[in-house]
Amino acid sequence: MKRNMLFVSAVCIIVAMTIIIGCGSNDNGYSNGDTNGIYISDCLNHRIIRINDMSSSGWVEYGYYGSGVGQFIEPAGIDIGPDGKIYVIDTGNNRIVRIDDMTGTGWITYGNRGSGMGQFQFDKLSDISIGPDGKIYVTDTWNNRIVRMDDMTGTGWITYGTEGSESGEFNWLGGIDVGEDNKIYIADYGNDRIVRIDNMTGEGWVSYNFRNAFNVAVEPNGKIYMVSENGIIGRIDDMTGTGRLSYGSEELFDEPTGIDIGIDNRIYIADDDDRIIRINDMSGSGWIEYGTSGSGVGEFDNPRSVVVVP
């Protein structure tokens, strides 16, 4: 998912709790209260992960299979709010989860299955983005709409979108990101396009063709990054497609589903081949990867989203 958290402070309150429910112990010298790091939704291991960097130091995990407190079913999107709190799309439970930190403190959920107010129908492509003002934006995949709420009480609930392929319509939504100007960027997977709208009325609708668009991330400077099911990473300067660059192939990636841009402009990708990849730029230079298949430390099973803080 995906926010470039320039506004998150380097160090938050140190929380001296150990992880109790279904999580690994923090024995790597990485404080659970430190917001900085790389956050990953480890979908089929039903947990979220944070590591310090691509050397994998500071591994800490939270969550296990189920529908109770501290439990997820196939978590997909993940993002970090301006206050450092962690937001997760709990796909199989059709809810949003927010925790204060990687100890799970402050666990709160919102949502259940359906198509009305306070209801979602998620699938594995669903994503979440926290705007600069702290408002919560969600792609509600099978309802073919995006949702915005003010906070985890659902206050200010508003939706936009219906099923279709015209303006104001979506088909099986993927990722979402909110720019520093509060414009909303959406991966409209089924319609092979990226969409940008100015606000939740759909004002300023503009789209850009990109085949099988899984996810999208926007830099503070306005450059837009996209990932495709076909293993292609794309970057454009703006929604006209100016300056388009592409990198990758089906041979290089196995269905990349998540993307984020670090403060140093390096590109982080969650790849279905049970790994996280970082490249320096759109040439692919500086390629480094982390992760193998499994359920232990340093292992993933279908990572869906990656967020880099700061």
Side-chain angles (χ1 to χ4, degrees):
M1 243 205 204
K2 305 171 325 323
R3 303 276 307 137
N4 190 356
M5 302 292 298
L6 298 177
F7 42 82
V8 177
S9 63
V11 179
C12 294
I13 298 172
I14 303 302
V15 180
M17 292 181 66
T18 58
I19 296 175
I20 299 173
I21 303 177
C23 302
S25 63
N26 180 27
D27 57 0
N28 293 297
Y30 189 30
S31 167
N32 286 325
D34 189 347
T35 307
N36 292 340
I38 304 168
Y39 293 77
I40 302 144
S41 58
D42 189 10
C43 182
L44 297 184
N45 281 321
H46 314 290
R47 64 187 180 182
I48 61 172
I49 308 293
R50 188 190 64 198
I51 53 178
N52 287 351
D53 50 46
M54 291 295 288
S55 72
S56 78
S57 66
W59 173 285
V60 60
E61 63 186 72
Y62 179 78
Y64 65 107
Y65 182 87
S67 302
V69 175
Q71 298 176 328
F72 304 102
I73 298 178
E74 299 187 4
I78 187 170
D79 202 9
I80 314 301
D83 56 1
K85 293 182 179 180
I86 305 164
Y87 295 76
V88 183
I89 294 294
D90 187 7
T91 302
N93 287 313
N94 293 286
R95 65 187 182 183
I96 302 167
V97 172
R98 190 194 71 196
I99 52 179
D100 294 347
D101 51 49
M102 289 295 291
T103 69
T105 301
W107 172 281
I108 185 172
T109 69
Y110 181 80
N112 52 64
R113 184 173 179 80
S115 58
M117 183 174 176
Q119 297 178 321
F120 306 100
Q121 290 189 60
F122 291 132
D123 201 0
K124 292 180 183 178
L125 292 184
S126 293
D127 198 18
I128 189 165
S129 182
I130 312 304
D133 56 2
K135 291 184 178 180
I136 304 165
Y137 295 77
V138 175
T139 48
D140 186 6
T141 299
W142 280 11
N143 283 321
N144 294 295
R145 65 185 184 183
I146 63 172
V147 175
R148 189 194 71 196
M149 16 182 232
D150 295 345
D151 52 46
M152 288 293 290
T153 68
T155 301
W157 172 282
I158 185 172
T159 68
Y160 176 76
T162 57
E163 184 176 4
S165 58
E166 304 300 324
S167 294
E169 298 176 339
F170 302 108
N171 182 13
W172 211 42
L173 288 168
I176 188 169
D177 200 12
V178 180
E180 293 193 342
D181 57 2
N182 281 310
K183 290 185 178 180
I184 307 162
Y185 296 77
I186 306 147
D188 189 7
Y189 172 86
N191 285 320
D192 297 312
R193 63 188 180 186
I194 301 295
V195 171
R196 189 194 70 198
I197 53 177
D198 293 346
N199 50 52
M200 288 295 291
T201 69
E203 182 180 357
W205 172 286
V206 60
S207 65
Y208 179 77
N209 291 338
F210 189 70
R211 186 180 174 192
N212 297 141
F214 260 93
N215 220 321
V216 61
V218 58
E219 284 187 347
N221 64 12
K223 290 184 178 178
I224 304 154
Y225 291 77
M226 306 156 281
V227 291
S228 165
E229 180 183 36
N230 303 315
I232 302 298
I233 312 301
R235 192 194 76 190
I236 52 179
D237 294 343
D238 52 49
M239 289 296 291
T240 68
T242 300
R244 174 163 179 162
L245 294 173
S246 296
Y247 174 74
S249 66
E250 289 181 331
E251 291 72 31
L252 196 59
F253 295 104
D254 180 14
E255 294 188 5
T257 55
I259 188 166
D260 197 19
I261 314 303
I263 195 170
D264 55 3
N265 291 321
R266 289 175 172 173
I267 305 163
Y268 294 76
I269 301 148
D271 190 25
D272 199 19
D273 199 19
D274 299 329
R275 60 186 179 174
I276 303 301
I277 296 161
R278 189 192 71 198
I279 53 178
N280 291 342
D281 51 45
M282 289 295 292
S283 72
S285 68
W287 173 291
I288 184 173
E289 61 184 75
Y290 174 71
T292 57
S293 298
S295 58
V297 173
E299 298 175 336
F300 303 105
D301 190 351
N302 200 226
R304 281 281 153 182
S305 187
V306 59
V307 178
V308 187
V309 181

